[in-house]
Amino acid sequence: MPLRLDPSFRERLAASARPLIGMWACSGSPLVTEVAAGSGLDWLLIDMEHSANTLESTLVQLQVVAAYPITPVVRVPSNDAVAIKQVLDLGAQNIIVPMVSSADEARAAVAAIRYPPEGVRGVGSALARSARWNRVDGYLRDSAAHTSLTVQIETAAGVAAASEIAAVDGVDAVFVGPSDLSASMGLLGQQTHPDVVAAVESVFVAATAAGKPVGVNAFDPAVADDYIVSGAAFVAVGADVALLARASEALTARFVPASEGSDRASY
C-alpha cells in the first residue's frame, strides 16, 4: 500500500502566516517527547548534539511524535555525511546541522541530504524507515521534496558569512544559536548582550535578503518577542529539561524552607 509522508519543515514555514513556535526535546525520553508533542506547539527539535539522544532513542521519538500534528526537526551531532545519512534513514525529514560557518560547510550539508548526482547520500531506502521500506512511491526521485535542511549559524565567522550561507541552493532555513555565538564573540553566557543581539539580527537581515526563513533560540519570552518583531520566522522558546528544572525549583521555593533547600543544594 503506497504511503505519504508529512509536509516538511520548509513547507510548514512557507504555509504559515505567523512565526512557528517550538521547543527542544533533550531528555532522550520518548514519554517526555510525546507529552511535548501533544502540547499544541508547531515544531519540536530532537537534539542529538547536546543531549543523550542516540540513533535508537531518536527513532522511537520520531515514531511517537508521528501521532501528533507537530513537525519534528532533528539536530544532528555535526556536519557529517554519515551521521546525517543515518538520521535521515531513521525517517527524519527535517534536519538541523549545527556550527555552519561558511558557504562550503553549507554546501556539504546540502550534499549530505541529497542523493547522487546532486549529493552524496547513500541509498538504503529499501531497508529504512525513511521510505517506509519502499512503501513511499517515488521516494528516491522525490526525496529532496520530502526533506528540509536548516543550517545553524552560531559563530562570529558564520555571522560574517551569513549572506553566502543563506544563498546556498538547498539551504531551506537558517537558525541562529545565541549561546555559542556569544561564546564565539568573547561574551560567554551573555546571549542578550547588545553586540550578540546585533549579530543575531544581522543574520536575520542576510537570510531574509536571500529569501530564506530565519529562526532563533530564545528561552526568555521577552527576548523571543523582540526577535519575532525583528523578523524571526520560527523560534525555539523552551526545552523539556529546562522546563522540568525550573518547575521543580519553583516547587522547592514554594514548599521547602529556604534554609533546608540551601543545605540540600550543598550536598
Side-chain angles (χ1 to χ4, degrees), residues 169-217:
D169 183 38
V171 168
D172 296 306
V174 174
F175 186 53
V176 190
S179 293
D180 276 306
L181 177 56
S182 65
S184 174
M185 296 173 64
L187 297 165
L188 180 64
Q190 301 180 60
Q191 295 95 318
T192 58
H193 188 283
D195 291 348
V196 177
V197 173
V200 172
E201 292 183 342
S202 75
V203 177
F204 283 20
V205 172
T208 301
K212 304 294 175 66
V214 60
V216 68
N217 200 46

Side-chain angles (χ1 to χ4, degrees), residues 70-253:
I70 192 170
T71 299
V73 182
V74 178
R75 183 167 73 171
V76 294
S78 65
N79 193 357
D80 177 83
V82 173
I84 292 170
K85 170 183 64 179
Q86 290 179 305
V87 172
L88 288 171
D89 282 348
L90 294 181
Q93 293 177 243
N94 310 295
I95 300 292
I96 290 183
V97 175
M99 291 290 181
V100 173
S101 298
S102 71
D104 283 344
E105 291 176 1
R107 281 188 282 268
V110 172
I113 72 165
R114 292 188 173 180
Y115 290 118
E118 292 82 12
V120 298
R121 179 182 174 187
V123 180
S125 56
L127 310 174
R129 181 174 179 269
S130 55
R132 303 303 188 266
W133 305 276
N134 275 352
R135 290 170 179 159
V136 177
D137 284 345
Y139 178 83
L140 294 176
R141 180 192 66 232
D142 301 329
S143 64
H146 298 317
T147 56
S148 76
L149 171 65
T150 300
V151 296
Q152 189 166 8
I153 291 178
E154 44 191 339
T155 64
V159 171
S163 294
E164 293 80 8
I165 291 170
V168 170
D169 183 38
V171 168
D172 296 306
V174 174
F175 186 53
V176 190
S179 293
D180 276 306
L181 177 56
S182 65
S184 174
M185 296 173 64
L187 297 165
L188 180 64
Q190 301 180 60
Q191 295 95 318
T192 58
H193 188 283
D195 291 348
V196 177
V197 173
V200 172
E201 292 183 342
S202 75
V203 177
F204 283 20
V205 172
T208 301
K212 304 294 175 66
V214 60
V216 68
N217 200 46
F219 288 5
D220 183 324
V223 174
D225 287 339
D226 288 344
Y227 280 135
I228 288 171
V229 171
S230 295
F234 58 105
V235 185
V237 296
D240 54 359
V241 290
L243 292 170
L244 179 58
R246 301 295 83 79
S248 58
E249 290 161 4
L251 290 175
T252 300

